[in-house]
Amino acid sequence: MQKASVLLFLAWVCFLFYAGIALFTSGFLLTRLELTNHSSCQEPPGPGSLPWGSQGKPGACWMASRFSRVVLVLIDALRFDFAQPQHSHVPGEPPVSLPFLGKLSSLQRILEIQPHHARLYRSQVDPPTTTMQRLKALTTGSLPTFIDAGSNFASHAIVEDNLIKQLTSAGRRVVFMGDDTWKDLFPGAFSKAFFFPSFNVRDLDTVDNGILEHLYPTMDSGEWDVLIAHFLGVDHCGHKHGPHHPEMAKKLSQMDQVIQGLVERLENDTLLVVAGDHGMTTNGDHGGDSELEVSAALFLYSPTALFPSTPPEVSRFLHTYSAATQDLQAKELHQLQNLFSKASADYQWLLQSPRGAEATLPTVIAELQQFLRGARAMCIESWARFSLVRMAGGTALLAASCFICLLASQWAISPGFPFRPLLIPVAWGLVGAIAYAGLLGTIELKLDLVLLGAVAAVSSFLPFLWKAWAGWGSKRPLATLFPIPGPVLLLLLFRLAVFFSDSFVVAEARATPFLLGSFILLLVVQLHWEGQLLPPKLLTMPRLGTSATTNPPRHNGAYALRLGIGLLLCTRLAGLFHRCPEETPVCQSSPWLSPLASMVGGRAKNLWYGACVAALVALLAAVRLWLRRYGNLKSPEPPMLFVRWGLPLMALGTAAYWALASGADEAPPRLRVLVSGASMVLPRAVAGLAASGLALLLWKPVTVLVKAGAGAPRTRTVLTPFSGPPTSQADLDYVVPQIYRHMQEEFRGRLERAKSQGPLTVAAYQLGSVYSAAMVTALTLLAFPLLLLHAERISLVFLLLFLQSFLLLHLLAAGIPITTPGPFTVPWQAVSAWALMATQTFYSTGHQPVFPAIHWHAAFVGFPEGHGSRTWLPALLVGANTFASHLLFAVGCPLLLLWPFLCESQGLRKRQQPPGNEADSRVRPEEEEEPLMEMRLRDGPHHFYAALLQLGLKYLFILGIQILACALAASILRRHLMVWKVFAPKFIFEAVGFIVSSVGLLLGIALVMRVDGAVSSWFRQLFLAQQR
């Protein structure tokens, strides 16, 4: 019951944070109303009649069409400098040689030969610069919102008035070919369509070749009025190789040939439009609002001269939108309407008096431009529609959840802490949610799941806070509510305060290693000051007539100093793998983050492949040596058999996949099908092996080796206050430590009679590390599939991650006192350093808290042909890639509690004996004390579960105050210039990271409890066997 109470209480605390995050998000992220109104071709854009057009005739428009046909070639991610004519900056010198410059030579030639027939413009697009949002903006003329970026790969049909709808309503035959995103945006809108899968960014040719197969035959057939071709090769080349790779030159040259072929086939009444929906960064990514991302090319050409521009139609939209909602500011709207009325009047006068056109035309153009800029600015500001009530409520829930974590972490180690009342808040939350849902059903209001979760969270708070106020509020001083040590609290406050600075958020990748290094130095100095530079102090309590053991001898300061230096070195090496944010153009991202397939040069690629395989082998060897040192690897249980045979197979599969992925483009044509099949099978096989290993570990988590011979003499009688086998948990908790010591003495006596020289007994060390062995095995099994989702050279970071964690655990264990039978506790500095290391690893694996930095290629590991209509699986793979460090450190968090007990094996010691012969010492085997290690946790199971609860609450508190600081920064700075570029993405990444970390923490604690239950069952069976 105690185990279930601990897990349910931690899950309830996680739910409180989830409810706060959801409530804050619902009031913070951008929203806008999508109007279903559709404009009519017969309605003029402004007051008065126009002197041209065919008004009054059936199907007439306010303006006559200039062209009867249009060919729209949309080249995804066509940045403006890709199409810009290449000129030499210095006379007589050749232009700068870059792979993407000068490859669209047909555009430059047309502009030079037919300047009145062609125009090239720099198109400044609105962020977010993701493909689906840009398509919506291009076809509807509206502004994309920030929240739309999350649905880039889950498109929904457009209900607003749009260009495709207007064309089909006018009876135009619209033919489409290319990106299948259009299929979801405009279902059934095309007279003929050729859709191709767009999500596989590693495939540079399938979509483009499919378009070319149908493009020219469709043009020659004449069965079209509007032809749309959406090419993806340039965008995918940017994602896979970047714009500076030779493959980019090939794709742009291919697009140049396409444009030449279209120009040759154009008729006089046809307009050719070549456009990019967005640009790309120097890394080939997009989604943000940097200059390179929002700069796209727009090229117009017609065999006949192009026409001048006409006044736009925006005023009607503003009037309709303001009537449907109250978002637009009335004062600004009135000013814009007056400005538009004046511009329309001047335009009408211009049409009626052509003589003064030269003087009046610039004024009209300036007025219309001012109107458009004002309308755009007002819409951007108004569509940032914040719900301050929900934002305040979400922030309050997050703050209250952090306060609950802080209080409960203190109460968990108090004497007589009850576990059963932990379930009362959960019950109150369910009652509150049911009552709220029933009330809404009675008054027939729509149920809002976000508000339902918030009501459940608030309801569950009430009994907890009431009990805290009534039971402990008057008995505890205020200082006990903030038990965090001063230096640790100062570092935490500093880290949280800088979340309010956009400069720090941008530079967090560089600041985090510095904070971690400062924290390590502070920890070493603190240990030296307190005189704890030694393995954990064993403060055992006297029991059953034995005297208390003496403290172990002290180590000198070099012990912790070596650990600290090793940690600083690992931190520095991990910092070499960094990705520069786009706001720091002088920074150069590490070239080691790119996949090996992007490297040019076979020898360098082979050397790096060898280094990656060596890191993989080193990681596998380190885990096996660690398990061998503590004896668990000798266990015949299925998990250890899998470690001996399954892990090498996983490493072999990973290395083989890396070899295929790095050389897939260089494979002979006859082997490409085989390579593609192997690239699909190998990652799935590795993931399947990892899942099998985890299943075996959950089935048989106790990895021990028992070699009990028949008739072995006993050196101690197990005394119990009951008769027969244990019938309750209390009986089992009483007898387990005695059985363990009895087994130690049995094996020690047997080994001594056989004159063995081994100082340790195998069975004792297997039981002494049974919890840690399960945790290390689980983390290794998780690491291999996560490693596959990253680039090959990130394997070096994973090796540093394990080594860094090992050193940090040893350094933290050096200063953690252990008392038996309890209470057990993990200090705040250990939990804080662990959480900070997770953040540092997030940046060292090439991530940044911005959308353009997401590693989309992870979605195709094991699925080179894409996922079809499934969106949850690629989202899961990309999420696992992005938050791998959060998951690994959260699952491994219980090691902070277990490792000090594990390090007790370093303190193997003998008591001082008077001089005597060897026989005297041989007949007194109890004079040598063997370390119990993790079995000491079973001396006080109540304290063991309380320590797990406290550890989980502390870790949730550290993560919770980070998301709270991000929420406060985003709400206070919601009108800041960088809110959507810096603060909003940071909040979203921290929120998702918290969810992943909390789930991983629950899984890690659940695994420890599963091992504990299996150990209890193992001892129960052993006791019954001895009774026989």
Side-chain angles (χ1 to χ4, degrees), residues 10 116 528 628 816 905 942 980:
L10 288 175
H116 298 289
H528 177 69
R628 183 185 300 276
I816 298 179
S905 63
H942 179 91
W980 302 117

Side-chain angles (χ1 to χ4, degrees), residues 10-93:
L10 288 175
W12 168 72
V13 173
C14 293
F15 168 75
L16 297 181
F17 281 104
Y18 300 161
I21 292 172
L23 186 60
F24 180 86
T25 303
S26 65
F28 173 65
L29 290 185
L30 287 174
T31 58
R32 69 177 177 89
L33 178 67
E34 292 187 350
L35 300 178
T36 58
N37 307 58
H38 291 81
S39 62
S40 173
C41 192
Q42 288 79 21
E43 300 178 12
S49 60
L50 298 175
W52 58 76
S54 304
Q55 293 176 332
K57 299 179 182 180
C61 288
W62 60 269
M63 180 177 179
S65 60
R66 182 70 169 81
F67 301 94
S68 59
R69 289 183 175 182
V70 175
V71 178
L72 172 60
V73 177
L74 192 64
I75 303 178
D76 209 293
L78 182 62
R79 210 166 67 191
F80 176 72
D81 55 348
F82 292 179
Q84 187 177 16
Q86 189 177 19
H87 300 290
S88 177
H89 295 283
V90 181
E93 292 187 6

Side-chain angles (χ1 to χ4, degrees), residues 616 620-621 623-624 627 633 637-655 682 684-694 696 777 780-782 784-785 788:
L616 197 65
L620 178 62
V623 173
R624 288 172 61 93
L627 292 173
L633 193 62
E637 297 295 335
M640 290 301 105
L641 294 177
F642 185 88
V643 169
R644 290 199 290 269
W645 301 103
L647 281 183
L649 288 178
M650 293 173 63
L652 182 62
T654 303
L682 288 175
R684 298 185 184 186
V686 173
L689 286 172
S692 302
L694 291 173
L696 292 175
T777 304
T780 306
L781 294 174
L782 280 175
F784 273 92
L788 269 178

Side-chain angles (χ1 to χ4, degrees), residues 202-260:
R202 293 188 175 184
D203 186 357
L204 308 185
D205 302 314
T206 298
V207 177
D208 293 358
N209 294 340
I211 294 175
L212 294 178
E213 182 181 351
H214 301 283
L215 179 60
Y216 300 129
T218 302
M219 284 194 67
D220 297 337
S221 68
E223 298 177 354
W224 57 276
D225 297 308
V226 178
L227 178 59
I228 304 175
H230 188 168
F231 291 89
L232 293 176
V234 173
D235 177 71
H236 287 186
C237 183
H239 284 296
K240 184 177 181 180
H241 301 293
H244 296 85
H245 196 273
E247 282 293 329
M248 183 60 73
K250 297 180 181 179
K251 294 307 298 181
L252 290 175
S253 298
Q254 183 186 28
M255 294 298 100
D256 187 65
Q257 296 176 3
V258 171
I259 295 173
Q260 291 183 26

Side-chain angles (χ1 to χ4, degrees), residues 689-710:
L689 286 172
S692 302
L694 291 173
L696 292 175
L697 184 63
L698 293 176
W699 177 43
K700 294 287 187 180
V702 180
T703 54
V704 296
L705 175 64
V706 179
K707 294 182 179 179

